[in-house]
Amino acid sequence: MLLIGFLLACAQDSGAPDPETARAALVPADGFEAACVAWEPDVVDPIALAFDEKGRLWVVEMPGYPNGGLAESPPRAPGRVKILDDFRDGRYRKVTVFVSGLDFPTSVLPYRRGAIVAAAPDLLYFEDTDGDGRADRRRVLYTGFGRKNIQALVNGLLWGIDNWVHGLGAGNGGEILCPERPDRPPVSLGGRAFRFRPDEPGRFEAESGLGGQYGLAEDDTGRRFTCANPAHLKEIVLPDRYLARAPYVSAPPAVVDIPEHGAAARLYRLSPFETWRVERTRRRAGSADASRFAKTELVPGGYVTSASGLTVYRGDLFPEPYRGNVFVCDPANNVVHRDVLVPEGVRHRARRAEEEKEREFLASRDIWFRPVFLASGPDGALYVADFAREVIETPLSLPDDLKASLNLESRGAGRIWRVAPRGAAAGSVPRLDAASDEELARTLAHPNAWRRLTAQRLLVQDRRRGAVPAVRALLAARDPLARLHALWTLDGLGALEAPDVERALQDPAPRVREHAVRLAEGRLAHAAPLAP
């Protein structure tokens, strides 16, 4: 009881409602429920999440936001990466500060004995050599990422099915250098996305993703999606490496908006409009230059203005119609929005689900609910990072008098929510770090994508060639996703052979054939000539 009282007092000191009051204000979709699994002081200002092979939850905290809207000056409060562990009785019981003193951390990716962290101007690898959960070694993998605008920092790190780490350059761009390979020329990012091989210093490439701001997601077959503040869902349809082969060809856009309800789409918030938003809107509408504002900026809310932290749901806990759907946060409207992806030629069309035509998947009546990032967990639930701020707005967009009247840095609160079908309690989380080669190979066929990708990462990063026979056997699996992961795992282990690719080129699943073509590219120069 003393602990609960202390936690509630901390929430009240920050001005945020206590976790139970906040939970009561949440309205999830029919058949779902939300539970708070971590809150202040255990987590404060969380902006990104990731799960590791031990089932631990990694949390990026960025209390330095908004820093006047700029990231060029030192943060007013340093950022941290924490590890949450020992999940019992509906909450995480153990909290370890993995690394602190970061300027503006935005993303974390568990890797080997630590994690890769995006904290502009750097991509950093922090290692825990003694297993105490705290980083004791630091390497700068890449540097040069821009940091002019605090809302457009490097972010979105994810391990792709192709065994590259992908990330989003956002709008600040940069000239990216590898300190460990000073002989390599800088890569001009220009706001695009990027990919790199963490175990091959200097192997860094820019790739399509221009227009993405905060959030990068991948579906089961490696199609990637992003978002920007006023555009909640974009698909990356043309890889930059192919466009670069024909620089004089006029190609269609590589990144396209795909919602059929349009960019700056209608949202169904339940929270009241903040007084300052109403006043700012009144001033905009009555100003001499009102015509320069979009129609959605001449109302105090109810339209996408802060899309961020999207994910493609790839778990195995939600009902089948939810699988492969995109979920995206809009913290300004206190909602998590859901779109259904419908194939349309080489791209997708995104539309509202029938049961959510005039409601959101998750909404709150409380303006302190500020969802900014989403992640599918090992248990198949959807986890939400709630920034829990009274105001979430760049100071650069506020009149001086309104700015002076607001607490733009109401630090002290933060929540992690677990959203799941009603009654679906959190089950045991697999310890893939203790799995054998054969067990990891079998996990490549698991219905939960987190487990498939984590098993693939472990096999590849640790060069576990003892798993090759079991992985190759999956090329005959019934599930095309198992065959797909088997192909890329063999490739990452340096064990993919020409007969494997030839077989995949004849696969009945079109997405497997698509990836087989990609895997064949690097082998064409060494292929034997075709028989006459």
Side-chain angles (χ1 to χ4, degrees):
M1 291 301 294
L2 289 176
L3 176 62
I4 294 174
F6 173 70
L7 294 175
L8 296 183
C10 289
Q12 290 163 357
D13 288 345
S14 72
D18 64 80
E20 181 55 33
T21 301
R23 187 202 61 78
L26 286 172
V27 181
D30 293 341
F32 287 83
E33 61 185 357
C36 195
V37 296
W39 56 88
E40 65 279 353
D42 289 349
V43 294
V44 176
D45 298 325
I47 66 161
L49 309 172
F51 289 89
D52 69 9
E53 59 270 23
K54 297 179 180 179
R56 300 180 302 179
L57 177 58
W58 295 63
V59 181
V60 178
E61 297 181 337
M62 193 168 128
Y65 179 88
N67 213 57
L70 303 174
E72 292 180 303
S73 56
R76 297 173 185 175
R80 297 171 293 267
V81 176
K82 292 178 177 176
I83 301 174
L84 306 187
D85 199 4
D86 189 19
F87 187 86
R88 288 181 289 118
D89 301 323
R91 60 167 291 202
Y92 287 95
R93 300 284 172 171
K94 181 180 178 181
V95 181
T96 305
V97 178
F98 176 71
V99 64
S100 59
L102 301 172
D103 275 10
F104 299 102
T106 54
S107 186
V108 63
L109 177 68
Y111 180 70
R112 293 193 182 276
R113 293 194 296 176
I116 300 170
V117 177
D122 302 323
L123 279 179
L124 303 152
Y125 172 60
F126 291 100
E127 190 172 30
D128 169 20
T129 63
D130 57 11
D132 67 353
R134 296 175 174 84
D136 45 49
R137 286 186 182 175
R138 175 184 184 272
R139 284 173 53 204
V140 180
L141 302 180
Y142 296 94
T143 191
F145 293 92
R147 38 184 281 163
K148 182 178 181 180
N149 182 349
I150 199 170
Q151 297 192 155
L153 299 171
V154 55
N155 67 88
L157 298 179
L158 62 85
W159 182 279
I161 195 172
D162 59 1
N163 300 313
W164 290 75
V165 175
H166 298 263
L168 198 62
N172 285 325
E175 298 293 315
I176 313 305
L177 295 165
C178 178
E180 296 175 339
R181 291 296 306 270
D183 57 310
R184 295 290 179 93
V187 176
S188 183
L189 201 55
R192 290 175 290 172
F194 59 87
R195 66 176 188 169
F196 66 97
R197 297 275 197 178
D199 56 346
E200 299 180 46
R203 197 170 178 191
F204 180 101
E205 302 174 2
E207 61 179 2
S208 300
L210 187 65
Q213 187 171 352
Y214 186 71
L216 185 65
E218 188 173 88
D219 72 4
D220 280 339
T221 60
R223 301 293 179 93
R224 281 186 292 281
F225 303 84
T226 185
C227 60
N229 276 177
H232 71 278
L233 184 52
K234 297 169 175 280
E235 183 170 5
I236 302 171
V237 293
L238 288 174
D240 188 79
R241 61 186 178 278
Y242 299 135
L243 297 175
R245 296 177 183 176
Y248 302 109
V249 172
S250 179
V255 182
V256 295
D257 290 309
I258 62 172
E260 64 180 17
H261 40 300
R266 177 83 165 88
L267 293 175
Y268 296 91
R269 65 183 286 167
L270 300 178
S271 51
F273 295 135
E274 300 95 324
T275 302
W276 67 266
R277 287 190 185 276
V278 175
E279 174 59 18
R280 185 178 65 175
T281 299
R282 186 190 67 78
R283 295 184 190 186
R284 284 177 174 177
S287 66
D289 61 347
S291 60
R292 76 179 179 88
F293 291 103
K295 291 182 179 180
T296 55
E297 294 179 348
L298 295 175
V299 292
Y303 291 88
V304 172
T305 59
S306 58
S308 59
L310 81 171
T311 192
V312 178
Y313 179 75
R314 303 165 63 191
D316 57 343
L317 187 63
F318 284 20
E320 183 63 35
Y322 290 84
R323 300 181 188 181
N325 292 182
V326 174
F327 295 81
V328 61
C329 303
D330 193 289
N333 283 288
N334 320 112
V335 304
V336 174
H337 172 75
R338 167 190 170 214
D339 269 336
V340 178
L341 293 180
V342 181
E344 188 178 84
V346 298
R347 48 174 276 187
H348 292 84
R349 179 65 60 186
R351 63 182 53 154
R352 278 186 172 274
E354 287 298 323
E355 61 271 28
E356 293 168 18
K357 287 295 186 182
E358 295 185 354
R359 62 168 298 173
E360 302 302 332
F361 174 77
L362 180 65
S364 178
R365 300 184 182 93
D366 174 30
I367 62 169
W368 282 80
F369 176 61
R370 304 293 186 182
V372 293
F373 192 89
L374 304 167
S376 295
D379 61 347
L382 184 68
Y383 288 79
V384 183
D386 177 1
F387 202 56
R389 289 281 188 93
E390 184 177 14
V391 178
I392 187 164
E393 186 77 14
T394 173
L396 302 177
S397 70
L398 289 168
D400 288 342
D401 61 325
L402 290 183
K403 191 187 310 183
S405 69
L406 298 172
N407 181 5
L408 299 178
E409 301 186 18
S410 49
R411 303 183 187 92
R415 286 84 197 267
I416 309 297
W417 300 94
R418 178 184 183 268
V419 183
R422 188 174 295 117
S428 60
V429 174
R431 288 291 302 264
L432 294 183
D433 61 312
S436 67
D437 291 351
E438 290 73 20
E439 289 170 334
L440 289 177
R442 288 197 298 272
T443 304
L444 297 175
H446 198 279
N448 185 325
W450 177 88
R451 301 196 191 194
R452 295 196 305 272
L453 275 172
T454 302
Q456 179 177 325
R457 174 175 64 82
L458 294 175
L459 289 168
V460 171
Q461 75 177 23
D462 298 333
R463 311 299 293 175
R464 298 174 70 161
R465 292 185 60 87
V468 167
V471 174
R472 179 165 282 116
L474 285 176
L475 295 177
R478 179 178 299 179
D479 184 358
L481 290 179
R483 302 197 296 272
L484 196 55
H485 281 276
L487 284 168
W488 281 110
T489 302
L490 290 172
D491 182 67
L493 290 171
L496 188 66
E497 299 175 354
D500 302 327
V501 179
E502 292 169 2
R503 178 178 183 174
L505 288 168
Q506 305 298 319
D507 196 278
R511 290 290 184 258
V512 176
R513 297 197 300 272
E514 174 188 320
H515 282 262
V517 170
R518 288 178 56 188
L519 288 162
E521 290 175 0
R523 295 165 171 79
L524 292 178
H526 308 289
L530 295 174

